[in-house]
Amino acid sequence: MASGSWKPTPLGGQLSKNNASCRMADKLFHDLVTLFVVVNPIGVVPLFVAVAGHESAAARRRIAGQAILISTVILFVFIGIGQIVLEALGIDLASFRIAGGLVLLIIALRMVLQEAHDPRADSSASYGNIAVFPLAMPFIAGPASIMAVVLMTDNNVYSFRQEVETAALLVVVLGFTYGCLVGADFVQRLLGSTGANVVSRIMGLILAALAVQSILSGFHDIHPAD
């Protein structure tokens, strides 16, 4: 038998790599669920039908494209400079995480507990450019979405690569939202008002759980366990 030709497998290093991969996958899944819940593509559909249902198919596609583009710009601006602005104001991320969690919790409770209503009742209102208001803000890039992207791209917690991955997931969710808006009539017929209401409430429940987790994480950052 040849001597000095066999070396033991670095099992510890392999386990470390596997654990890192699992943590990365967990974060990506958590971010994807969070973004899907706060943007709420399905919940935007009946609202889009209410404010743009009277437009032609080509006009609806144009309005949907503008709304998604404006939402993307807004959210990416907050990904890029949101934390910088907070630090300039002397607000640490732990405090913002708690405040953001509280706001997300309020929004989630409204999603779960609000009385069902016909969104067409508000369709007579004059919104001006509906791609900007109310579609881009506050329907798509609302307070929940803004706070979520800032918290998920904390420079003190996540690496640049992780922040890029979160941004890529945001693009995926916004792309899915665009598809839902373009096919709003089909989605509305498929789910119906009751189905869309049920989906919205389920997302509200998930968002409430994520909000509580954000609040607890903020308190843990301020008072870490001994």
Side-chain angles (χ1 to χ4, degrees), residues 82-144:
Q83 185 172 353
I84 297 174
V85 172
L86 291 176
E87 291 176 352
L89 296 174
I91 302 173
D92 60 79
L93 261 294
S95 299
F96 187 79
R97 189 180 297 273
I98 295 172
L102 290 172
V103 173
L104 292 179
L105 182 59
I106 293 172
I107 294 172
L109 292 176
R110 289 178 59 186
M111 291 172 64
V112 174
L113 301 176
Q114 68 181 349
E115 294 293 330
H117 68 284
D118 187 355
R120 290 173 295 181
D122 300 327
S123 61
S124 60
S126 177
Y127 291 116
N129 187 352
I130 59 177
V132 179
F133 177 85
L135 288 178
M137 291 192 70
F139 287 171
I140 301 174

Side-chain angles (χ1 to χ4, degrees), residues 31-108:
D31 288 356
L32 180 62
V33 171
T34 301
L35 290 171
F36 193 86
V37 168
V38 295
V39 175
N40 193 4
I42 304 300
V44 174
V45 167
L47 302 171
F48 179 75
V49 172
V51 299
H54 61 284
E55 302 284 353
S56 65
R60 288 200 300 271
R61 286 195 297 271
R62 175 180 55 81
I63 292 170
Q66 289 179 350
I68 294 300
L69 178 60
I70 294 169
S71 301
T72 302
V73 171
I74 292 171
L75 294 175
F76 269 77
V77 166
F78 275 92
I79 288 176
I81 66 172
Q83 185 172 353
I84 297 174
V85 172
L86 291 176
E87 291 176 352
L89 296 174
I91 302 173
D92 60 79
L93 261 294
S95 299
F96 187 79
R97 189 180 297 273
I98 295 172
L102 290 172
V103 173
L104 292 179
L105 182 59
I106 293 172
I107 294 172

